[in-house]
Amino acid sequence: MAKPRKQKTEDNSKTENSNSQAVVRHQKLCLSIDIDKRRIYGYTELEIAVPDIGIVGLHAENLVIESVSVDGEPTEFEFYPHHQHTASEKRWSSVSSASSAADVASSMYVSALERELVPNLLIMCCKPEKSASEQQGLQSLENGLQSSAEQPEPKQNVKLVRVDYWVENAETGIHFEDNVLHTDNQIRRARCWFPCMDDTLQRCCYDLEFTVARNLVAVSAGSLLYQALVLSKDDPPRKTYVYKLNVPVTARWIMLVVAPFEVLPDRHSGLLSYLCLPSNLPKLSNTVGFFHSAFSHYEDYLSASYPFGSYKQVFIAPEMAISSLTLGASLSIFSSQILFDEKVIDQTIDTRIRLAYALARQWFGVYISPEAPNDEWLLDGLAGFLTDSFVKRFLGNNEARYRRYKANCAVCKADDSGATALSSSASCKDLYGTQCIGLYGKIRSWKSVAILQMLEKQMGPESFRKILQTIVFRAQDATRSLRTLSTKEFRHFANKVGNLERPFLKEFFPRWVGSCGCPVLRAGFSYNKRKNLVELAVLRGCTAAPDTNTVVLNGNLDSENREGDNGWPGMMSIRVHELDGMYDHPILPMAGETWQLLEIQCHSKLAARRFQKSKKGSKPDGSDDNGDATVVDMRSSSESPLLWLRVDPEMEYLAEIHFNQPVQMWINQLERDKDVVAQAQAIATLEALPQLSFSVVNALNNFLSDSKAFWRVRIEAAFALANTASEETDWAGLLHLVQFYKSRRFDANIGLPKAIPHAIAMVRAADKKSPREAVEFVLQLLKYNDNNGNPYSDVFWLAALVQSVGELEFGQQASILFLSSLLKRIDRLLQFDRLMPSYNGILTISCIRTLTQIGLKLSGFIPLDRVIELVKPFRNFKAIWQVQIEASRALLDLEFHCKGIDAALSLFIKYVEEEPSIRGQVKLGVHAMRLCQIKGGSESDNDIKIPTLVALLRLLESRTAFNNVFLRHHLFCILRVLAGRLPTLYGVPRDQNLQMDCCEQKNSFAAFVKETKPPEPPVDTPNVSRDGFALPEASREADTVSNSHERKKPVVKIRVRQSAASSRAEEADKSQGAHNNETDRGGSSSMSVDAPPRRNFTEAVSISTQNLEEVNSCHDRGSRMTASIGSARLASDGDEFIGKELQCTADSGKISVLPQSEEGGPLLSGIQDNIVDEDAQKYVSLQTLSATRLEVESGSTVAIGGGGGKSHSHGKSKEKKKDKDKKRKREDPEYLERKRLKKERKHKEKEMGQLLTTPPKRKEKEMSQLVGGGGERDYEEGKQKEKEMAELLSVEAKASSSSAAADVVVVKKDESGIIIKSATVQYKASEPTIVITTKAEASEGSSAPKFRIKIKNRSK
């Protein structure tokens, strides 16, 4: 059994990737760069372990291959450029709506991604003499010799492959901008500037040599060995930089930057160096002064030295960089917009965190790489975890916890589909690396960090730190060739090093890592005075739909334990703050029933004593003379000793928690709890209260004024005060904000309170307009702003003021009095910023954004054409790049609100074609996708014109999209959003017919192999279907039998038994029946099926909704079996295949027959639509359906599959059934109509079933009761009802087919007293007659009922 399975995988791998056995041992890259001519030329040498076929496939794109040699001798090679598309109008003829455009975009996108996986530079590395050894190896396999372990070493020959090439007019992978050259690490774009094996599984060491002009500096991966002048006649003189990388990495991490850089060495470490253009050198020294602290912190935390020989940080202009961060081996490329001088202090935190994250990715992601695409989440999460340790160490614990809390909230809101499952093939491997792009990439990154932090909470900080140290120590082992990490290995470390139990880990990883969704807990409590305890009620839920979770888990191979599907492992803590102290109670299980009631015993006993005092008091209301002494201290605890409660206070779980407690408890939590997360939760709850009181406003104001509170939470308190300001509270929130600003505007410790103007601008009156006081306040701040005497820049403060103007809602009075003054101030700031540009142009950006918002809000008073004329000049390419992008965004917004989404997308396409920078194109794509999401998929379908959809598809297929991987993905997402679908590649069907280009590439590779390789001896291989599943031999025999034209009277007999209740007598009966079937007429076949195991219940039941409805239509408690025969292949005399469908239900000796409808039956629509020539030949097969017993003891599912003389195994029939069910078209209108007609016949069928299924003894008893108790009239009514039921049965059988007739069902007894029921359904003369006979035993304890189905052909 092992030989055919091995041969099958080899056959599949040959056609898919014949280069899988080739391994690159070492690569050398020598290039000469001419920036003036925008040209690079040189060669690369690869030491490759050549596979047995003698052919090596490399990835190369946008290159001109001059020559290829192997071991110094020229060799044959073939080159197939990937991006070769010819424009054809026929391709867009199928586009008629947004939905059809999304389907075409999906096929185009998947096909393009598939093509990129195939090597397109095929090199002949050895002569075809290797075939003799291959034949000997195959013969040894046939003889059963286990020589697989001995073959690689003697046969693995290493060849030195040299490729001479040059690149001119580079468009992607490598970029020229003025006197700067730089590469990018886009997915599968390293091949665009040097031939390589651009695969995540291929890693090797590199020798790099770059020759550039003498005045330029070449920075690349690895350590700089030396730099030497080139003795030549070139003018200007040239210099060669030689780098060496001793750590094996993938080709994606090889980077190169050439520019006239200024080099700034680090003062504390010789391994660190920083490079930037001369104009940014003052900012660079101020920005990176802290970095040695982060570098030393990581080395101390991991107890290991930096893995590479050096680390270089390069800063280039923002319009040159493809993103704010581009990673390489021992090299990181940043945008220069994160640099800042000593006067700008607002950018400090964001820049330091970004630099620290880039260094963490050098450890986890570049040095230690994922073993498979499903393990990428782990390296990304470890890098984020290491960054959080830096934030906690140098920016404070409050900053770290606040950031984690906000990230967890974002994950809980977005984790609602299978696209966010971290380690499943459907959400990782099948997405070709696109899962890290866009919003879903950020959500996956945040979720990865949160899961690792949950594990840290479970095992402790020191144990988790030991795991990271173990991972790094193992990677630095010189004996290990690969430095990879997998989820399975990390789980092993969590068990051995972290001391977490295996049962917990088996539930934790499949539930959190292998599936999607976060727990949702809604809790409330009640205090019991007599028992002095808290009664806590909890309602559990999940952010993802249950069906989505089931699909992800079923597709995840690593999900060993499915018990966690209904919940999450672990116990959540409840923290109770009482009068006597704080107490943690880890009593809330994460799994269990949906509703649960918990009891928490209180420790404080003051409430009990107060309850006793009230009994002894003389006053009827329970008060006494000494009551005032305790009112001052215990006023919030007059009825209970509880101050406030918290669920999961330490954020041990990634969960969405909704907790209800009295308002006074939330105020106590805000004022007394020192945790920033508790304070943020209290502010959010108080802000959302439907009825606000002065106590809430005062609490928020007191927290805002507290200088010891965390500044980010104080900002939230300011916005909460703005939301509480209303006429009901006498504008108390607005007054508090104004007073706070006046009292703190000169505070040197906290700086300028930027959030106050923005919060005041958010205040709304009853008419949803800004009050006069708020508009006047913002105007006064703009009018009298003065930064004299301030050593720091106030550009961020001015930008916040301008943005607050855009948040105002102008009423009639405010518009007349203040709008003109505000616009004048904004125009004055624009003129000022044009003369003296602000930091990164943020002041101009704020003015453009505010003008756009005002124009959209007052479109009835201000013509939008005037606003467009004001914004258009800022798209001039002489302006700052950030200003150009913001102006383009503003114009897209104006176009969208004026003319609709169709005009906005047309303008977007124009801007993308005009935008030269890759990063600018991506920003425009993100903004266009947001506009589509605002419009909504259902409404936009009618607003989008066909030419616009076709233009988007052409842009998706264009060279521009190929050069920009991020833009291409966002274009695909735009088309998906327009069709009302999720903006992700997850869930997109993989249709083989839509990937012909990729197949042609693979076929060309196979053809090249066949030309250079002699034919191999035949080897016995199993029959493999189109989908790669092995077809059993029995099915082949079944086809042979069914296609025979000698059979005139085919009879199909099905005998069903339950394995749990089977006996030897039944087995003998079954064997005898099988023998009889074999010796019967040539036109008959039989099979027997046992019940499958319990674990396949879900898959067996989920075959068809129609079948489920039929199974659930019977309400008797007896055992029940259901069998379905769909599209049975029958051979008639005229060589015509007729598809039939029959569904029989045997329930405790009762049977019902459902004839076939005119359209072919509901199950017939499940047949694949890509069948060739249906008129000449109809593919028909026995479809499987679950047969269940409702009794607890039986509890098994019986699946009946069709076959020939031999019986199928249950696993193969289940695969066949599952494959057919996946291809059912649920949206087919014909199928839905048939389903509706089927439902309409249900009531009649139930009534007929009652007549068929009621035993005679029971009928006689009912009749006797009617006669004895109801008199003659009731008896006559019963007889009449029975007569009507018989008529209904006859009418239903006739209505099942236009030319079919049904015989009357006969119910009789034989001599032994056994009830026998038979029904005959006869169709046309040329169609077979179906005779069904069921026989039930008299006793209930006997085995399952047996029934026999005969299908007979009758000649005309």
Side-chain angles (χ1 to χ4, degrees):
M1 297 298 294
K3 290 181 182 178
R5 188 177 304 171
K6 183 176 180 180
Q7 185 67 27
K8 183 186 74 171
T9 56
E10 289 178 356
D11 291 343
N12 293 339
S13 62
K14 280 183 181 179
T15 57
E16 181 177 356
N17 187 4
S18 300
N19 198 36
S20 58
Q21 297 179 358
V23 178
V24 180
R25 299 288 186 83
H26 186 273
Q27 185 166 0
K28 181 179 180 180
L29 183 62
C30 298
L31 295 178
S32 180
I33 300 167
D34 190 348
I35 291 184
D36 296 333
K37 297 181 180 180
R38 304 270 196 261
R39 179 180 178 182
I40 63 174
Y41 54 91
Y43 68 91
T44 180
E45 292 181 348
L46 302 93
E47 295 180 7
I48 304 178
V50 181
D52 296 337
I53 60 175
I55 298 177
V56 171
L58 300 180
H59 296 94
E61 192 68 37
N62 200 30
L63 308 178
V64 179
I65 308 298
E66 291 186 350
S67 62
V68 179
S69 62
V70 177
D71 290 339
E73 298 181 359
T75 186
E76 298 179 0
F77 69 93
E78 291 190 14
F79 180 56
Y80 306 95
H82 282 314
H83 193 80
Q84 286 184 348
H85 292 287
T86 58
S88 176
E89 294 297 332
K90 296 182 180 180
R91 306 188 61 185
W92 321 119
S93 60
S94 61
V95 178
S96 59
S97 63
S99 180
S100 60
D103 295 336
V104 175
S106 300
S107 65
M108 291 169 49
Y109 194 30
V110 173
S111 299
L113 294 173
E114 283 283 351
R115 286 194 302 269
E116 293 177 1
L117 299 179
V118 183
N120 58 341
L121 176 59
L122 310 181
I123 302 173
M124 174 64 65
C125 291
C126 57
K127 299 179 181 180
E129 297 177 354
K130 295 289 181 179
S131 60
S133 61
E134 286 186 356
Q135 295 178 3
Q136 294 178 1
L138 292 174
Q139 292 177 359
S140 63
L141 287 176
E142 293 177 358
N143 296 331
L145 300 177
Q146 302 295 331
S147 60
S148 60
E150 301 175 359
Q151 288 180 3
E153 294 182 0
K155 292 185 178 181
Q156 199 173 36
N157 54 343
V158 179
K159 298 291 184 179
L160 182 63
V161 179
R162 172 167 173 160
V163 181
D164 293 86
Y165 70 100
W166 54 276
V167 181
E168 190 174 9
N169 298 325
E171 297 178 346
T172 184
I174 188 167
H175 308 274
F176 292 90
E177 185 72 24
D178 296 335
N179 57 349
V180 177
L181 176 145
H182 69 95
T183 61
D184 60 61
N185 65 345
Q186 294 187 84
I187 304 173
R188 293 178 291 274
R189 290 299 178 267
R191 65 189 71 177
C192 294
W193 68 287
F194 70 97
C196 59
M197 287 190 181
D198 199 359
D199 189 2
T200 57
L201 301 180
Q202 292 287 347
R203 306 173 183 89
C204 66
C205 301
Y206 287 84
D207 287 336
L208 307 171
E209 296 182 8
F210 303 104
T211 301
V212 297
R214 186 176 181 180
N215 62 328
L216 301 178
V217 178
V219 186
S220 185
S223 301
L224 178 63
L225 298 182
Y226 60 89
Q227 48 182 330
L229 290 175
V230 178
L231 299 178
S232 63
K233 299 181 180 179
D234 295 337
D235 187 24
R238 302 176 67 81
K239 183 189 296 185
T240 300
Y241 290 83
V242 180
Y243 291 87
K244 187 175 184 61
L245 183 62
N246 294 323
V247 179
V249 297
T250 60
R252 181 184 181 185
W253 304 126
I254 302 301
M255 305 293 294
L256 172 64
V257 187
V258 178
F261 285 126
E262 292 287 343
V263 182
L264 179 66
D266 191 84
R267 300 178 181 178
H268 302 85
S269 175
L271 300 179
L272 302 177
S273 57
Y274 317 100
L275 300 93
C276 69
L277 296 177
S279 59
N280 294 322
L281 186 60
K283 296 180 180 179
L284 178 65
S285 59
N286 181 74
T287 303
V288 300
F290 81 102
F291 190 73
H292 70 280
S293 301
F295 189 84
S296 302
H297 167 70
Y298 288 167
E299 289 186 334
D300 295 340
Y301 186 84
L302 299 174
S303 298
S305 58
Y306 182 67
F308 300 100
S310 62
Y311 181 60
K312 302 166 284 292
Q313 290 183 346
V314 182
F315 299 86
I316 60 178
E319 60 271 17
M320 300 180 187
I322 63 170
S323 62
S324 60
L325 168 61
T326 304
L327 289 173
S330 73
L331 172 67
S332 296
I333 302 176
F334 299 92
S335 170
S336 60
Q337 67 180 2
I338 67 172
L339 297 175
F340 58 92
D341 54 22
E342 63 277 358
K343 293 184 177 181
V344 178
I345 59 177
D346 304 76
Q347 187 66 29
T348 304
I349 294 178
D350 293 339
T351 297
R352 292 188 175 184
I353 293 177
R354 187 163 301 179
L355 296 180
Y357 174 74
L359 179 60
R361 288 290 290 176
Q362 293 291 324
W363 289 90
F364 300 104
V366 180
Y367 178 63
I368 302 175
S369 56
E371 184 175 307
N374 291 359
D375 305 319
E376 291 179 357
W377 74 272
L378 182 57
L379 280 305
D380 193 11
L382 289 175
F385 182 87
L386 201 61
T387 306
D388 281 356
S389 68
F390 163 80
V391 174
K392 187 181 298 183
R393 172 78 179 274
F394 295 98
L395 300 179
N397 187 51
N398 288 341
E399 181 74 19
R401 283 186 61 84
Y402 185 84
R403 284 178 172 270
R404 180 186 170 190
Y405 168 68
K406 290 299 181 182
N408 289 0
C409 292
V411 171
C412 291
K413 290 181 180 179
D415 190 8
D416 56 356
S417 66
T420 53
L422 298 179
S423 183
S424 67
S425 298
S427 61
C428 298
K429 183 179 179 180
D430 297 344
L431 302 188
Y432 310 97
T434 61
Q435 66 273 10
C436 60
I437 301 177
L439 176 62
Y440 282 103
K442 294 181 181 179
I443 296 299
R444 290 170 60 91
S445 179
W446 292 336
K447 184 178 180 181
S448 303
V449 178
I451 290 175
L452 294 179
Q453 289 173 340
M454 283 192 291
L455 286 175
E456 183 201 21
K457 292 291 184 180
Q458 295 293 331
M459 66 181 67
E462 290 301 324
S463 297
F464 194 85
R465 180 181 178 183
K466 289 181 180 179
I467 291 178
L468 299 188
Q469 294 174 355
T470 303
I471 293 172
V472 175
F473 178 78
R474 188 188 64 161
Q476 292 183 343
D477 188 2
T479 60
R480 291 178 56 90
S481 59
L482 295 179
R483 296 170 175 83
T484 60
L485 181 64
S486 65
T487 305
K488 187 176 182 180
E489 292 174 343
F490 186 80
R491 190 167 73 177
H492 175 74
F493 289 145
N495 174 244
K496 296 298 182 181
V497 182
N499 298 323
L500 294 181
E501 298 179 356
R502 288 187 177 181
F504 171 80
L505 294 174
K506 285 185 177 181
E507 293 182 3
F508 183 90
F509 277 88
R511 194 61 187 88
W512 284 106
V513 180
S515 62
C516 61
C518 299
V520 179
L521 300 178
R522 304 180 185 276
F525 77 96
S526 175
Y527 176 69
N528 192 328
K529 292 183 179 180
R530 292 186 177 275
K531 297 182 180 180
N532 193 27
L533 53 82
V534 177
E535 297 175 350
L536 186 69
V538 181
L539 173 63
R540 294 185 182 87
C542 181
T543 57
D547 54 349
T548 304
N549 223 1
T550 303
V551 171
V552 174
L553 282 172
N554 290 338
N556 184 18
L557 301 178
D558 192 39
S559 55
E560 300 176 1
N561 193 346
R562 303 294 174 87
E563 296 179 0
D565 294 357
N566 297 327
W568 288 262
M571 302 287 289
M572 184 176 287
S573 297
I574 306 297
R575 177 171 294 178
V576 181
H577 291 264
E578 304 180 21
L579 294 175
D580 294 347
M582 178 187 68
Y583 303 93
D584 287 338
H585 305 273
I587 62 172
L588 179 57
M590 297 296 292
E593 298 179 357
T594 304
W595 285 94
Q596 190 168 0
L597 184 64
L598 306 174
E599 293 184 352
I600 303 175
Q601 188 64 42
C602 295
H603 295 75
S604 303
K605 298 182 179 180
L606 177 63
R609 290 195 298 268
R610 289 176 56 83
F611 182 75
Q612 294 175 0
K613 285 182 179 180
S614 61
K615 290 183 179 179
K616 297 179 182 180
S618 58
K619 296 184 178 180
D621 58 353
S623 60
D624 54 2
D625 296 337
N626 297 327
D628 296 338
T630 59
V631 168
V632 177
D633 297 332
M634 310 296 179
R635 60 189 177 95
S636 62
S637 304
S638 59
E639 297 181 357
S640 68
L642 306 176
L643 297 178
W644 71 93
L645 280 73
R646 291 189 62 193
V647 180
D648 192 22
E650 298 298 330
M651 288 193 297
E652 297 178 351
Y653 295 94
L654 178 62
E656 181 180 344
I657 301 174
H658 303 274
F659 186 66
N660 295 324
Q661 62 180 351
V663 176
Q664 185 58 42
M665 288 190 170
W666 287 114
I667 294 176
N668 294 340
Q669 179 174 327
L670 176 63
E671 294 177 346
R672 302 187 185 185
D673 204 322
K674 302 303 180 183
D675 184 16
V676 293
V677 177
Q679 296 167 356
Q681 291 174 346
I683 291 174
T685 305
L686 294 175
E687 180 183 0
L689 290 176
Q691 296 181 354
L692 298 173
S693 61
F694 286 99
S695 60
V696 174
V697 177
N698 292 333
L700 293 174
N701 180 46
N702 294 335
F703 185 83
L704 176 64
S705 303
D706 187 5
S707 60
K708 295 182 180 180
F710 185 50
W711 65 277
R712 293 191 186 272
V713 186
R714 293 172 69 187
I715 290 177
E716 292 193 5
F719 284 101
L721 271 177
N723 290 333
T724 60
S726 63
E727 296 178 357
E728 298 177 355
T729 58
D730 294 335
W731 305 105
L734 178 60
L735 297 178
H736 288 316
L737 289 173
V738 174
Q739 291 177 1
F740 175 81
Y741 172 79
K742 291 181 178 180
S743 61
R744 299 299 180 96
R745 58 178 177 175
F746 298 116
D747 194 339
N749 296 325
I750 64 174
L752 295 174
K754 297 185 301 180
I756 301 302
H758 195 183
I760 291 177
M762 298 293 292
V763 176
R764 297 291 182 265
D767 57 351
K768 303 301 180 181
K769 303 296 181 179
S770 299
R772 177 189 178 93
E773 294 79 7
V775 179
E776 187 176 3
F777 177 80
V778 175
L779 176 60
Q780 295 298 323
L781 291 181
L782 278 175
K783 187 175 181 179
Y784 297 105
N785 179 70
D786 187 5
N787 198 43
N788 293 328
N790 185 9
Y792 303 105
S793 173
D794 67 339
V795 59
F796 284 90
W797 162 253
L798 285 174
L801 283 179
V802 174
Q803 290 181 8
S804 64
V805 175
E807 297 296 336
L808 294 171
E809 290 288 345
F810 296 96
Q812 295 182 356
Q813 297 180 355
S815 301
I816 296 174
L817 297 177
F818 303 111
L819 181 57
S820 59
S821 300
L822 289 172
L823 293 177
K824 288 181 180 179
R825 295 296 168 182
I826 293 175
D827 181 68
R828 182 179 179 182
L829 291 175
L830 279 174
Q831 299 298 331
F832 176 78
D833 198 46
R834 185 174 301 176
L835 296 175
M836 298 180 62
S838 59
Y839 174 75
N840 290 334
I842 61 173
L843 185 56
T844 302
I845 292 174
S846 299
C847 294
I848 294 174
R849 193 173 301 168
T850 299
L851 288 175
T852 305
Q853 292 177 348
I854 293 176
L856 294 176
K857 292 178 180 179
L858 301 178
S859 58
F861 303 95
I862 301 177
L864 291 180
D865 295 339
R866 177 58 180 166
V867 181
I868 294 176
E869 292 177 0
L870 290 175
V871 176
K872 263 189 176 181
F874 294 101
R875 288 198 70 247
N876 187 359
F877 294 105
K878 295 182 180 180
I880 301 177
W881 175 79
Q882 294 92 329
V883 175
Q884 298 177 26
I885 299 301
E886 186 60 34
S888 300
R889 288 173 174 172
L891 293 175
L892 288 177
D893 289 337
L894 294 171
E895 192 77 8
F896 170 70
H897 288 88
C898 290
K899 302 180 182 179
I901 187 63
D902 184 79
L905 289 177
S906 300
L907 187 63
F908 157 72
I909 296 173
K910 176 185 176 183
Y911 286 170
V912 167
E913 294 174 350
E914 295 176 354
E915 178 61 38
S917 64
I918 288 182
R919 194 178 179 190
Q921 294 173 352
V922 174
K923 288 184 176 294
L924 292 177
V926 173
H927 192 72
M929 188 175 68
R930 290 176 181 173
L931 294 180
C932 296
Q933 290 174 337
I934 293 174
K935 183 64 178 176
S938 60
E939 300 179 2
S940 61
D941 190 37
N942 298 327
D943 298 338
I944 299 295
K945 298 180 181 178
I946 303 302
T948 304
L949 295 174
V950 173
L952 288 173
L953 291 173
R954 287 175 176 169
L955 184 59
L956 177 64
E957 197 183 28
S958 65
R959 188 75 188 183
T960 302
F962 177 81
N963 297 337
N964 194 338
V965 174
F966 305 104
L967 173 64
R968 182 176 63 174
H969 183 75
H970 285 102
L971 288 173
F972 164 74
C973 293
I974 287 173
L975 290 166
R976 294 270 299 177
V977 171
L978 291 176
R981 305 172 187 176
L982 291 177
T984 175
L985 194 60
Y986 174 81
V988 175
R990 306 297 194 267
D991 192 349
Q992 295 181 357
N993 297 331
L994 300 177
Q995 301 176 17
M996 298 303 297
D997 295 337
C998 179
C999 296
E1000 292 176 0
Q1001 290 283 345
K1002 296 178 182 179
N1003 294 335
S1004 63
F1005 191 96
F1008 187 63
V1009 174
K1010 291 179 181 179
E1011 291 177 1
T1012 58
K1013 190 176 179 182
E1016 298 180 359
V1019 181
D1020 295 335
T1021 57
N1023 188 10
V1024 181
S1025 65
R1026 190 190 317 179
D1027 298 332
F1029 296 101
L1031 297 178
E1033 296 296 331
S1035 63
R1036 199 183 307 175
E1037 296 179 5
D1039 294 338
T1040 304
V1041 173
S1042 62
N1043 291 331
S1044 175
H1045 304 297
E1046 298 177 358
R1047 297 173 49 187
K1048 297 183 178 180
K1049 296 181 179 181
V1051 178
V1052 181
K1053 301 178 181 179
I1054 300 179
R1055 192 181 298 271
V1056 184
R1057 64 181 177 85
Q1058 289 185 352
S1059 58
S1062 63
S1063 61
R1064 295 183 179 179
E1066 291 178 340
E1067 292 176 359
D1069 187 17
K1070 180 178 180 61
S1071 62
Q1072 182 179 0
H1075 178 71
N1076 294 336
N1077 291 333
E1078 291 174 0
T1079 59
D1080 204 351
R1081 293 174 295 179
S1084 65
S1085 60
S1086 66
M1087 67 173 296
S1088 299
V1089 186
D1090 292 336
R1094 176 76 174 175
R1095 59 186 175 85
N1096 292 331
F1097 177 78
T1098 305
E1099 297 177 359
V1101 171
S1102 62
I1103 296 174
S1104 173
T1105 308
Q1106 174 66 27
N1107 298 332
L1108 283 176
E1109 292 172 352
E1110 292 299 327
V1111 170
N1112 295 329
S1113 63
C1114 184
H1115 302 284
D1116 294 339
R1117 297 183 59 186
S1119 61
R1120 180 175 59 205
M1121 294 184 181
T1122 303
S1124 176
I1125 305 172
S1127 307
R1129 177 181 294 181
L1130 303 174
S1132 63
D1133 295 338
D1135 297 339
E1136 203 173 342
F1137 295 102
I1138 303 172
K1140 294 301 171 189
E1141 176 192 351
L1142 175 66
Q1143 180 166 349
C1144 312
T1145 303
D1147 192 339
S1148 298
K1150 302 179 287 290
I1151 187 166
S1152 62
V1153 182
L1154 302 182
Q1156 184 178 354
S1157 62
E1158 295 181 1
E1159 292 83 355
L1163 289 179
L1164 207 57
S1165 62
I1167 303 177
Q1168 301 177 1
D1169 293 336
N1170 54 3
I1171 296 175
V1172 181
D1173 196 6
E1174 293 183 353
D1175 296 333
Q1177 181 181 6
K1178 294 184 179 180
Y1179 283 79
V1180 287
S1181 60
L1182 291 176
Q1183 293 188 349
T1184 56
L1185 180 67
S1186 61
T1188 60
R1189 292 193 63 174
L1190 299 181
E1191 293 178 355
V1192 178
E1193 43 200 39
S1194 59
S1196 61
T1197 304
V1198 179
I1200 305 172
K1206 296 183 181 180
S1207 62
H1208 291 272
S1209 63
H1210 174 70
K1212 295 179 181 179
S1213 63
K1214 184 186 71 174
E1215 291 178 358
K1216 193 173 181 181
K1217 167 197 63 180
K1218 188 175 181 180
D1219 183 65
K1220 287 181 178 294
D1221 182 65
K1222 284 184 178 179
K1223 297 179 180 179
R1224 184 184 301 278
K1225 293 187 177 180
R1226 295 290 186 185
E1227 299 178 358
D1228 188 5
E1230 296 181 359
Y1231 168 75
L1232 296 177
E1233 180 65 19
R1234 292 193 297 268
K1235 185 175 179 181
R1236 185 185 65 81
L1237 294 176
K1238 192 72 175 179
K1239 290 182 179 180
E1240 290 179 355
R1241 296 198 301 267
K1242 271 192 175 182
H1243 298 290
K1244 296 182 181 180
E1245 293 167 3
K1246 291 182 180 180
E1247 294 177 354
M1248 289 187 295
Q1250 292 178 1
L1251 177 62
L1252 289 174
T1253 57
T1254 305
K1257 292 183 179 180
R1258 182 179 176 184
K1259 285 186 178 181
E1260 295 175 0
K1261 186 177 180 181
E1262 292 176 355
M1263 291 298 180
S1264 62
Q1265 291 177 356
L1266 286 172
V1267 174
E1272 236 176 358
R1273 185 174 57 84
D1274 295 337
Y1275 175 75
E1276 291 295 331
E1277 290 179 358
K1279 296 289 288 182
Q1280 182 67 20
K1281 183 177 181 181
E1282 185 177 1
K1283 184 178 180 180
E1284 291 176 359
M1285 295 298 296
E1287 292 177 358
L1288 284 174
L1289 174 64
S1290 178
V1291 172
E1292 177 62 21
K1294 292 179 181 179
S1296 61
S1297 179
S1298 60
S1299 60
D1303 294 342
V1304 180
V1305 177
V1306 181
V1307 181
K1308 62 180 180 179
K1309 290 186 179 180
D1310 59 1
E1311 292 100 8
S1312 58
I1314 298 175
I1315 302 172
I1316 300 176
K1317 302 176 184 179
S1318 64
T1320 302
V1321 182
Q1322 183 175 353
Y1323 292 81
K1324 295 179 181 180
S1326 61
E1327 295 183 351
T1329 299
I1330 304 174
V1331 182
I1332 305 162
T1333 304
T1334 180
K1335 184 176 181 180
E1337 305 298 338
S1339 60
E1340 296 181 357
S1342 61
S1343 61
K1346 305 180 180 62
F1347 56 86
R1348 181 176 180 181
I1349 303 173
K1350 294 183 179 180
I1351 303 177
K1352 299 179 180 179
N1353 273 350
R1354 296 183 180 179
S1355 60
K1356 295 182 179 179

